[in-house]
Amino acid sequence: MGGPSSIPCRGDDTVSEAHKALLPRIGTGALPLLLVAAFAGSGFADPGLIRIIPSEFEFLARSTLAQESGDLDGASVWAEALSTEDPRSSFAAGRLAQILESAGDDTRALEWGDRALKLDSLNADAAMLVGRMMLRSGDAAIAVKALTPPLRLLGARPELYALRALAHELNRNYEAALADLKRTGTLRPDFTWIATGVLRLALEDARLREASQALDLALELNPDDPQILGLGIELARRLGDVTLEETLLERRASADDASAEHCSAYASFLIRMGQTKALDGYLERVRRRGIDPGDVRIESGRSLLRDGHYRAALEAVKPVGGRNAALPVRARALVAMADEKPALACYRKLGMLRAWTREESLVVAYLEIRVGDRRAGIRTLEQIRPGLLESPRRLLAGSFCYVLLGHPEEAVRLLREGTARGIESPSVYAELGATAAEIGDSLVAEWAYQRLDGLGRETSECLYFLSVRDLNQGFAERAVQRLERSVAIDPNNARALALLGRIRYRMGQLELARELLRRAVESREAGADAHHLLARVCRALRLESEARAAESGARGKRAPSSPPGLTLFSNP
């Protein structure tokens, strides 16, 4: 092998390529032992001989010892010395980047990580570091680009696939994220949260096909996870997949940690689907678990009310109708179904048991005015008037009550007071304009509709009113533009269709006028004038039979008299 002269000296600039190639392969645990062995002086050694190892090994060993002792500053100094000694080593640059990341110096860590990847794009540790950094900064696409080259190697780490799956998820590439997640092998259950994240984001983006794929994978990894089941139920409802919804609801309700809320959700489904026998069997199982079936029915009724299933809500509480807790559910469902007298009876009974809430008081005022004692309705309305200014919806509901009392001017006053207090809601301005126009206060109506126009939230009625004003001021072209936008927003706005048809008739555009007026008279809101005008247009087009049919439709035409604002009271 040769004598001492064959041992390379520290100052020698010709370090073999074999030494450099060994650096990434030597375990960090063996490096301290190697260093100690190399520097251990022998009592029999000739003092003239210098026993040293290649400097790359020394720097790596010293950096490892410092890192294991918690001295990250020292570790980074020796790691940088290693990278300086061997500037073409991707391993050295990547090691320094990892130490800097541990020390919290993300900027320099990213710089050294990029340098490592430039030297060797297959460096998995550097790729993961750069990928993490890019994900933290929100650059998911760059993270995917950095993580891809190491994954071209056979036997790539599962963690690399998982990190790229996360990058694909944040980059909204859901199919690629799921494909990478499936390649994580035995570690796949540890990354269930990525599949859950894909499911959530795909639902938010309304990409239901990809959400279905994510749900399948998430259920495969953790079939009983409450979050996955909840997202799956939402997906099933949006897909209209009743079978999937039932399966997931039953699985969640049958879990050992299922709450009364989960039980009522499944019971609500069975009630809504009319599965009476299945419901009875399920409530019996619930009773054996120590949960009151009556409570489940009442909570199911509340849930069905929130979802707008009013008749099903009534069915839910019918067997427990004698319970006080069932009265509010029954009353609200009856109001929503316009069954006002039984609803008022429920609220009166409830009022003898406890004080009404603010929302209930508002509904009671409406019902008393509509079908009960008007004096009692007025008293209730005046008692809760200060609370009407707390929200736009309550403000509108209160204004409807004054309209029903025959005092639309009071409704306008209430709405103006609400807007003066800063209740800046498009619905408030829309209702204020409609109510003011109804009582003939054109100045207030114009003010409200102009405010609505300024918010960029014009309604069909708002555009119709402003078009009438434009016509009166001689701006026919602008009026036509507003009316066309009005019927685009609400194709069934009979007044806008009729007015636009009249303008087209005056302009000699008979076919356009006929089409618009035919659409207008199909609406229940159309008046006799629209029928007469259609007859005139048809005669101008020599369509006598159609003209006679239009005249016939004008006879006995009456505007509908349905109670206004019903949804304001059925959905507090």
Side-chain angles (χ1 to χ4, degrees):
M1 289 292 296
S5 60
S6 65
I7 301 177
C9 296
R10 180 164 181 168
D12 191 354
D13 292 333
T14 60
V15 179
S16 70
E17 292 299 324
H19 291 152
K20 297 177 182 179
L22 281 172
L23 283 177
R25 299 183 209 167
I26 296 179
T28 55
L31 284 170
L33 298 176
L34 180 61
L35 184 64
V36 171
F39 282 98
S42 171
F44 302 99
D46 187 338
L49 293 178
I50 304 176
R51 299 200 43 179
I52 83 170
I53 63 173
S55 55
E56 293 93 336
F57 291 164
E58 177 188 349
F59 295 153
L60 177 57
R62 290 184 183 276
S63 175
T64 303
L65 285 172
Q67 185 178 10
E68 291 181 353
S69 64
D71 182 10
L72 293 179
D73 290 336
S76 64
V77 169
W78 287 109
E80 189 166 0
L82 173 62
S83 183
T84 303
E85 183 72 17
D86 190 359
R88 291 181 297 170
S89 171
S90 175
F91 168 79
R95 174 169 173 73
L96 176 56
Q98 290 176 308
I99 294 173
L100 291 171
E101 182 188 25
S102 301
D105 191 348
D106 288 353
T107 302
R108 291 187 64 208
L110 181 58
E111 292 175 0
W112 282 97
D114 283 332
R115 183 181 302 185
L117 289 181
K118 288 177 182 177
L119 293 168
D120 181 7
S121 63
L122 302 180
N123 187 330
D125 290 325
M128 292 186 70
L129 183 142
V130 172
R132 289 194 298 270
M133 295 290 181
M134 291 297 99
L135 288 178
R136 289 174 195 165
S137 62
D139 296 321
I142 299 178
V144 171
K145 186 177 180 181
L147 291 164
T148 298
L151 289 172
R152 295 177 183 147
L153 298 174
L154 292 176
R157 300 183 204 167
E159 293 87 347
L160 268 171
Y161 281 111
L163 190 57
R164 193 173 70 168
L166 179 60
H168 279 310
E169 173 194 338
L170 299 179
N171 202 35
R172 296 305 204 261
N173 190 353
Y174 302 135
E175 287 188 350
L178 296 174
D180 275 350
L181 195 55
K182 291 176 181 178
R183 296 188 181 105
T184 54
T186 57
L187 294 182
R188 191 185 306 172
D190 296 334
F191 302 116
T192 305
W193 57 276
I194 297 180
T196 306
V198 172
L199 172 58
R200 182 186 299 104
L201 290 177
L203 275 174
E204 290 178 3
D205 295 344
R207 292 161 62 173
L208 302 185
R209 182 179 61 82
E210 291 153 304
S212 298
Q213 295 172 359
L215 177 63
D216 291 341
L217 180 56
L219 288 175
E220 176 188 334
L221 298 175
N222 193 346
D224 298 319
D225 182 82
Q227 187 179 16
I228 295 173
L229 292 175
L231 292 170
I233 291 166
E234 180 184 348
L235 173 63
R237 288 173 178 169
R238 293 173 65 174
L239 290 172
D241 191 336
V242 177
T243 303
L244 177 62
E245 182 182 359
E246 181 177 7
T247 300
L248 297 179
L249 283 169
E250 182 179 14
R251 184 180 299 176
R252 185 67 190 104
S254 301
D256 294 335
D257 62 342
S259 65
E261 181 181 356
H262 300 130
C263 296
S264 64
Y266 181 46
S268 299
F269 173 85
L270 296 176
I271 295 168
R272 181 159 48 91
M273 293 294 105
Q275 299 183 22
T276 307
K277 291 184 178 179
L279 175 65
D280 293 339
Y282 175 67
L283 291 178
E284 177 60 25
R285 294 197 300 273
V286 164
R287 186 188 62 78
R288 294 191 194 124
R289 292 168 54 184
I291 301 175
D292 187 351
D295 293 340
V296 173
R297 281 187 170 275
I298 292 171
E299 187 59 38
S300 298
R302 294 179 183 138
S303 175
L304 291 165
L305 280 178
R306 287 192 295 269
D307 294 338
H309 302 291
Y310 304 117
R311 194 169 299 281
L314 281 177
E315 290 297 323
V317 299
K318 182 184 286 186
V320 291
R323 292 195 184 188
N324 297 339
L327 281 175
V329 177
R330 178 176 171 78
R332 272 189 56 194
L334 290 170
V335 170
M337 296 169 63
D339 202 352
E340 294 165 334
K341 287 187 177 180
L344 180 57
C346 284
Y347 277 117
R348 284 175 174 174
K349 184 176 180 180
L350 185 62
M352 292 186 290
L353 298 172
R354 61 166 175 79
W356 293 313
T357 65
R358 288 185 176 182
E359 295 293 342
E360 289 169 347
S361 297
L362 182 57
V363 178
V364 169
Y366 167 79
L367 292 174
E368 292 285 8
I369 293 167
R370 281 279 302 163
V371 296
D373 186 345
R374 289 172 64 87
R375 291 178 180 273
I378 293 171
R379 286 196 302 270
T380 304
L381 186 61
E382 289 300 315
Q383 288 171 0
I384 63 173
R385 177 169 178 138
L388 298 178
L389 303 175
E390 294 177 356
S391 73
R393 195 201 61 79
R394 302 193 78 225
L395 185 65
L396 295 180
S399 72
F400 277 122
C401 289
Y402 284 112
V403 171
L404 292 174
L405 287 169
H407 295 285
E409 72 285 350
E410 190 64 28
V412 172
R413 187 178 297 112
L414 178 64
L415 287 166
R416 294 178 75 176
E417 184 179 351
T419 56
R421 292 195 180 189
I423 303 180
E424 193 83 354
S425 170
S427 61
V428 171
Y429 289 126
E431 189 55 38
L432 175 57
T435 309
E438 182 181 341
I439 65 173
D441 193 340
S442 59
L443 291 177
V444 175
E446 184 174 350
W447 172 81
Y449 281 140
Q450 284 179 339
R451 295 292 293 270
L452 191 62
D453 186 52
L455 292 174
R457 300 290 295 276
E458 308 97 328
T459 63
S460 182
E461 281 299 320
C462 166
L463 291 167
Y464 168 76
F465 180 89
L466 294 177
S467 67
V468 173
R469 183 202 62 179
D470 292 337
L471 276 178
N472 292 336
Q473 294 177 354
F475 301 113
E477 185 176 348
R478 189 165 66 188
V480 169
Q481 292 175 355
R482 290 191 192 274
L483 287 170
E484 287 177 344
R485 288 167 56 200
S486 175
V487 297
I489 294 173
D490 182 6
N492 298 318
N493 188 331
R495 294 198 298 172
L497 288 167
L499 181 57
L500 186 56
R502 185 180 296 276
I503 294 173
R504 296 296 186 192
Y505 172 64
R506 290 176 180 173
M507 295 171 66
Q509 300 172 352
L510 299 183
E511 288 292 349
L512 283 177
R514 173 171 169 259
E515 179 63 28
L516 290 165
L517 290 168
R518 288 180 64 181
R519 289 169 56 190
V521 299
E522 289 174 358
S523 171
R524 296 177 58 192
E525 303 293 331
D529 290 347
H531 288 269
H532 290 306
L533 182 58
L534 176 59
R536 197 182 312 165
V537 171
C538 289
R539 287 196 174 94
L541 291 170
R542 300 175 181 265
L543 300 172
E544 191 61 34
S545 60
E546 190 172 334
R548 287 195 298 270
E551 291 285 3
S552 176
R555 301 188 186 102
K557 190 73 175 182
R558 295 288 184 274
S561 57
S562 57
L566 182 63
T567 56
L568 291 173
F569 302 95
S570 61
N571 297 306

